[in-house]
Amino acid sequence: MDAGLDEAAGKRARGLDRAFEILDFLRQKRQALKPNEIAAQIGAPRSSVYELVNLLLRNGILEFTGGEGRVYLGRKLYFLGAAYENHFDFTRECEAALERLADETRETAQFCMLDGNKYTVVRMREGARPFRISTDIGQSVPIPWTASGRLLVAHMTNAEILSFIPERDFQLPGGEWLDPAAFLTEVRQAERDGHFTFNSIVDSFTHCFAVPVTDDAGHAAATLCLVAPRDDGLANRDRYLDCLKDAARRLSHAPLQSRRA
């Protein structure tokens, strides 16, 4: 009897893991797909994917869109997210900090975190410049491509960092490879300085700034960032860092349960 219960519980847990994998896959792909396409791309049995997709459709977590049986994230997720945000004051504090940074600097301000072993922009406020500098919110980006990445892994040992970041993520957008040893040197320098800035690896016209938003242990739970045109970023480097560090200090002193939002 106990063995049967354990087996059933294990099956349900695996089903939940697979359901979350489907949702996360669609989030990263940012397009509607057929269940058989999802199964093929995540390497899962078609039968289990069809079963889970139907369950998620019945509960509004997925919705049909685009025709031909394609599915995508459902509106129920929006309501769940809205309820989550309404429960925490931190999101409002974060929005206020980004608005203040964008007003003070006229540059694009971002609040960034790790999503698994990838970097993602969680919140963003565009600056007052006539041209647009932005990143898609929620898009997963390799950690070594980002200024924030140096800070977000700084609490780990070098060995832990190299184990955490997939080897392929050290290949940069242009095809060249970033030496992991050079990356680790930059991580330790960012840890000592309390910030990291560099000319963007992804966009050759911008300069990126990142400072940590720390948790109670002093680790970077998130970062506040500015993305500026390269010449303006270099010319205003000290002022921009002062603005970021002031905003990050305020967020770092938010209650612990709020920072976990």
Side-chain angles (χ1 to χ4, degrees):
M1 177 69 72
D2 289 345
L5 290 173
D6 288 344
E7 183 179 352
K11 184 177 181 180
R12 285 194 296 272
R14 290 191 294 274
L16 280 172
D17 286 342
R18 184 70 77 189
F20 284 120
E21 184 180 7
I22 291 169
L23 295 174
D24 200 50
F25 176 73
L26 288 171
R27 178 184 67 86
Q28 293 184 35
K29 296 296 288 187
R30 292 177 175 260
Q31 66 181 91
L33 293 168
K34 299 176 184 178
N36 64 315
E37 294 173 329
I38 297 172
Q41 294 188 52
I42 68 174
R46 291 176 58 184
S47 59
S48 63
V49 169
Y50 272 98
E51 181 181 355
L52 288 168
V53 164
N54 286 330
L55 176 64
L56 294 169
L57 285 167
R58 288 197 299 272
N59 287 278
I61 304 300
L62 293 180
E63 294 180 356
F64 286 114
T65 182
E68 298 184 347
R70 293 184 179 89
V71 297
Y72 193 60
L73 304 177
R75 68 193 69 187
K76 177 68 74 66
L77 292 172
Y78 170 81
F79 295 120
L80 292 172
Y84 175 82
E85 289 198 352
N86 190 55
H87 182 66
F88 291 100
D89 291 333
F90 181 77
T91 53
R92 288 184 284 276
E93 295 180 28
C94 181
E95 291 287 357
L98 294 176
E99 184 173 359
R100 188 164 54 248
L101 280 169
D103 288 344
E104 290 174 346
T105 65
R106 300 180 69 248
E107 310 295 1
T108 295
Q110 299 174 337
F111 179 80
C112 309
M113 300 180 76
L114 291 182
D115 178 16
N117 59 5
K118 296 291 191 292
Y119 153 98
T120 188
V121 177
V122 179
R123 290 282 188 279
M124 181 175 65
R125 181 60 58 94
E126 291 186 14
R129 294 189 173 277
F131 57 95
R132 187 171 183 266
I133 299 176
S134 64
T135 300
D136 289 337
I137 293 175
Q139 182 177 4
S140 296
V141 177
I143 291 170
W145 295 13
T146 69
S148 291
R150 275 74 176 167
L151 295 161
L152 291 169
V153 299
H155 63 285
M156 302 180 186
T157 67
N158 287 356
E160 288 171 338
I161 292 171
L162 295 181
S163 175
F164 181 66
I165 299 176
E167 184 178 352
R168 63 181 178 278
D169 284 4
F170 286 99
Q171 185 173 23
L172 304 179
E176 67 275 23
W177 288 83
L178 174 64
D179 181 5
F183 175 77
L184 293 175
T185 297
E186 292 175 343
V187 168
R188 298 306 163 211
Q189 188 63 51
E191 184 179 23
R192 288 190 293 271
D193 294 341
H195 65 260
F196 191 79
T197 78
F198 72 164
N199 291 329
S200 173
I201 290 173
V202 178
D203 183 345
S204 60
F205 299 103
T206 61
H207 193 80
C208 302
F209 300 78
V211 302
V213 177
T214 56
D215 58 21
D216 284 355
H219 300 155
T223 58
L224 282 175
C225 311
L226 287 175
V227 185
R230 183 171 294 185
D231 290 345
D232 291 325
L234 293 171
N236 293 282
R237 183 177 185 275
D238 291 342
R239 182 170 72 85
Y240 286 1
L241 282 173
D242 286 343
C243 291
L244 278 170
K245 289 182 177 181
D246 179 62
R249 275 192 295 270
R250 299 185 193 188
L251 287 181
S252 294
H253 290 132
L256 177 61
Q257 67 173 19
S258 295
R259 277 207 305 282
R260 286 174 178 166

